[in-house]
């Protein structure tokens, strides 16, 4: 009759080494399994209870594994009843107790490696390594089936593979939109204070590289909306939404905030902050909100990032109040509000001369005077001085570097602009303005594939302004008109974008397509809404020249010469060049020639002073071509291409009237073909990257 195992048998075998080895291996294997589970949960958006379920399975398996270890140790010792050879009370000698070795004829199906030929008791037949491993595999197969069913159910809800109800997986929780904070103050004049708190909280979060933070410009559209959280998240491409309110009353302030999983409407975090109204407390609240949100989203927060979000820009509440007023009006980008922003920022500096962001604000406003409003280049010098002061005061703040980059961009020093913008993004990875401008810098260098990468990143952060327009235009430059048209129709030619934006970018696409008539029509479509906009008018003058309408070009340039003498339509010819050539074509060749000569000298002086814009070299060549100097024109055209200016763009290759005298020259044709080949190579690189990323 078989002897059944006893508790004493288990205790004796638990003291033997095999038991402890089995325990150690199981604990190590369990730790590895939990790490794998954690990765799967974070990668596929599984619920938080899934790791706990896996841990429960491992806990249940532990006594089974230990019992199996004891039983198998006992069998190895030779006693079906559990007594190993040499144990006190073992019956017979070791030689007599050891059963026949197991059959190894596995191929024939006649034996088993874990079953002795002597039939052990039922418990010993159950507690085998084969059964233990099979049970473990089945347990985790159950975990996998549940995970698959959960993922499948969310995909069914979303109607889209791998995504949740709003089209976003769990990774998207780290993509966050901070909706405008409600102003709960009884005094409506405090609305700007609530807006300032909102923007600063957004900016604090923006400094965390592990988060994707949608820009303020894009979230303002949802200030008063009937859309649900899931709908907002779907439109902005985020998984979490922060909303809050600000109540300013006397000497106190109350700020509330709550973080919501937009897929499920689950509250991930919420808190109230009641403090005395001081600058120190306002900034402390902003820091605490950023820290707690980072923790709630399990975002990595580096020591440098923690230091940046803990910084206090000023200790004076009045200076802070004036600063957020100035920042608000600056962002309207009108000449009047730009002047008002400068006045407010100067008031800030009278109170607190060390307020770095106010120095950067003035630098930005000075730069915009030149870039958007046609002021003389001398304002760029002042802008650079203010930006450098901001950096000197706060070298870890992105605002100074972004303002400095704008200054260099205005001066056509794009290598320096790129360096400064990269410094800004290093300090604020979600700075959509600097991110977009990095794309501009690369485009000016002729690296349109690299520019497109940054424009896409900018669009991810700020899907409602220049990012999509630059993406559409760059696809057109690369000759991918299907994508250019789609982005333009879906994100540029929409309500909310200004007439100049829709007109200019639509025209760029049509020119690169080779349809001058469509380009002219695009400008006419938005003329009534745009004729007070400097950059639209400067662009319209160039289109008039391409359309062989020098009278209209001259009328526009004369008007701009009075109101905005420094107007520059970006990479195309300066206002002075367009005006000089329009004068030349209109019949006053002597005056036109003199003006063209002056402009060529001015451009050369800017190159000598450090400007590195290849379009300037091309523009000098175009002036030579307009004056009939073919060889000089071709020399400058070839130099410009070597510097990164692809003359294959349709405007210059086919429509620019200034290049008429050299268009049929073999050197020019070779230049065009070489440039088109470079463009085609960039397009292929973009296509390969987008295929690899699943975008095609």
């Amino acid at each position: 009759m078989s002897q059944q195992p006893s508790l004493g048998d288990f205790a004796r075998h638990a003291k033997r080494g095999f038991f402890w080895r089995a325990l150690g291996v199981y604990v190590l294997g369990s730790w590895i399994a939990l790490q794998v589970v954690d990765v799967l949960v974070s990668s596929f958006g599984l619920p938080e209870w899934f790791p706990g379920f896996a841990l429960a399975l491992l806990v249940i398996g532990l006594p089974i594994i230990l019992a199996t270890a004891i039983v198998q140790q006992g069998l190895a010792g030779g006693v079906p009843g559990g007594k190993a050879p040499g144990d006190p009370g073992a019956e017979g000698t070791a030689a007599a107790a050891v059963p026949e070795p197991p059959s190894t004829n596995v191929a024939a199906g006649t034996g088993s490696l874990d079953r002795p030929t002597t039939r052990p008791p039922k418990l010993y037949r159950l507690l085998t390594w084969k059964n233990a491993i099979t049970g473990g595999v089945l347990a985790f197969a159950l975990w996998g089936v549940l995970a698959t069913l959960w993922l499948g159910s969310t995909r069914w809800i979303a109607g889209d593979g791998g995504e949740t109800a709003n089209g976003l997986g769990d990774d998207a929780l780290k993509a966050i939109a901070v909706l405008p904070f409600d102003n709960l103050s009884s005094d409506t004049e405090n609305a700007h204070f609530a807006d300032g708190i909102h923007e600063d909280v957004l900016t604090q979060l923006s400094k965390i590289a592990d988060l994707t933070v949608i820009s303020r410009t894009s979230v303002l559209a949802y200030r008063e909306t009937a859309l649900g959280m899931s709908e907002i998240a779907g439109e902005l491409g985020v998984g979490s939404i922060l909303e809050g309110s600000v109540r300013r009353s006397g000497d106190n302030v109350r700020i509330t905030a709550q973080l919501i999983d937009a897929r499920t409407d689950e509250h991930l975090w919420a808190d109230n902050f009641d403090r005395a109204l001081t600058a120190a407390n306002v900034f402390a609240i902003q820091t605490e909100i950023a820290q707690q949100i980072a923790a709630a989203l399990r975002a990595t927060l580096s020591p440098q990032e923690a230091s940046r979000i803990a910084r206090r820009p000023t200790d004076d509440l009045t200076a802070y109040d004036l600063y957020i007023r100035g920042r608000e009006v600056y962002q309207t980008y009108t000449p009047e509000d730009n002047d008002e922003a400068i006045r407010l920022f100067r008031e800030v500096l009278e109170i607190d001369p060390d307020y770095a962001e106010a120095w950067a604000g003035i630098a930005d406003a000075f730069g915009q005077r030149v870039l958007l409003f046609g002021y003389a280049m001398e304002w760029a010098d002042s802008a650079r001085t203010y930006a450098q002061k901001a950096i000197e005061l706060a070298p870890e703040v992105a605002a100074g570097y972004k303002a400095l980059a704008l200054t260099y961009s205005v001066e056509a020093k794009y290598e320096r602009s790129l360096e400064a913008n990269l410094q800004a993004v290093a300090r604020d990875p979600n700075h959509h303005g600097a991110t977009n401008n990095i794309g501009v810098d690369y485009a000016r260098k002729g690296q349109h594939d690299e520019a497109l990468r940054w424009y896409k990143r900018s669009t991810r952060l700020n899907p409602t302004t220049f990012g999509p327009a630059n993406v559409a235009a760059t696809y057109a430059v690369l000759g991918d008109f299907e994508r250019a048209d789609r982005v333009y129709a879906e994100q540029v030619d929409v309500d909310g974008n200004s007439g100049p934006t829709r007109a200019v970018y639509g025209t760029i696409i049509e020119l690169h397509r080779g349809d001058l008539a469509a380009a002219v029509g695009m400008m006419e479509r938005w003329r009534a809404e745009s004729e007070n906009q400097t950059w639209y008018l400067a662009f319209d003058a160039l289109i008039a020249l391409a359309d062989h309408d020098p009278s209209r070009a001259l009328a526009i340039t004369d008007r701009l010469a009075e109101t905005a003498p420094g107007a520059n339509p970006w990479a195309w010819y300066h206002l002075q060049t367009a005006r000089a050539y329009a004068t030349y074509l209109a019949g006053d060749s002597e005056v036109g020639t003199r003006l063209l000569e002056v402009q060529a000298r001015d451009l050369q002086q800017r190159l000598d002073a450090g400007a590195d814009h290849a379009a300037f070299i091309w523009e000098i060549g175009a002036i030579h071509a307009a004056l009939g100097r073919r060889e000089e024109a071709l020399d400058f055209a070839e130099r410009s291409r070597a510097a990164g200016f692809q003359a294959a763009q349709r405007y210059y290759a086919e429509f620019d009237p200034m290049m008429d005298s050299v268009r049929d020259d073999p050197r020019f044709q070779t230049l065009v073909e070489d440039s088109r080949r470079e463009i085609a190579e960039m397009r292929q690189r973009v296509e390969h990257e987008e295929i690899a990323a699943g975008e095609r």
Side-chain angles (χ1 to χ4, degrees), residues 241-278:
I241 289 178
L242 180 71
E243 57 181 6
S245 64
V246 178
R247 184 186 299 276
R248 182 176 178 174
S249 178
D251 295 331
N252 296 289
V253 62
R254 176 183 174 87
I255 299 174
T256 67
Q258 54 184 355
L259 182 66
I260 300 168
D261 183 337
R263 307 162 309 169
T264 62
D265 276 342
E266 174 189 359
H267 281 66
L268 302 174
W269 166 86
D271 207 344
N272 298 317
F273 303 87
D274 290 289
R275 307 279 171 85
L277 182 55
T278 66

Side-chain angles (χ1 to χ4, degrees), residues 330-331 333 360-361 363-365 367-368 371 383 387 390-391 397-409 416-417 419-425 427-428 431-438 441:
Y330 165 79
Q331 291 168 342
Y333 297 106
D364 271 329
Q368 297 297 356
L371 184 66
I391 294 171
V397 173
Y401 294 96
K402 187 267 179 186
L404 181 63
L406 177 61
T407 298
Y408 284 136
S409 180
R416 292 187 179 183
S417 174
E419 293 171 0
N421 276 317
L422 289 171
Q423 291 285 353
V425 170
R427 289 156 177 78
D428 184 348
H431 197 306
H432 73 90
T435 303
N436 178 80
N437 292 345
I438 290 172
D441 294 334

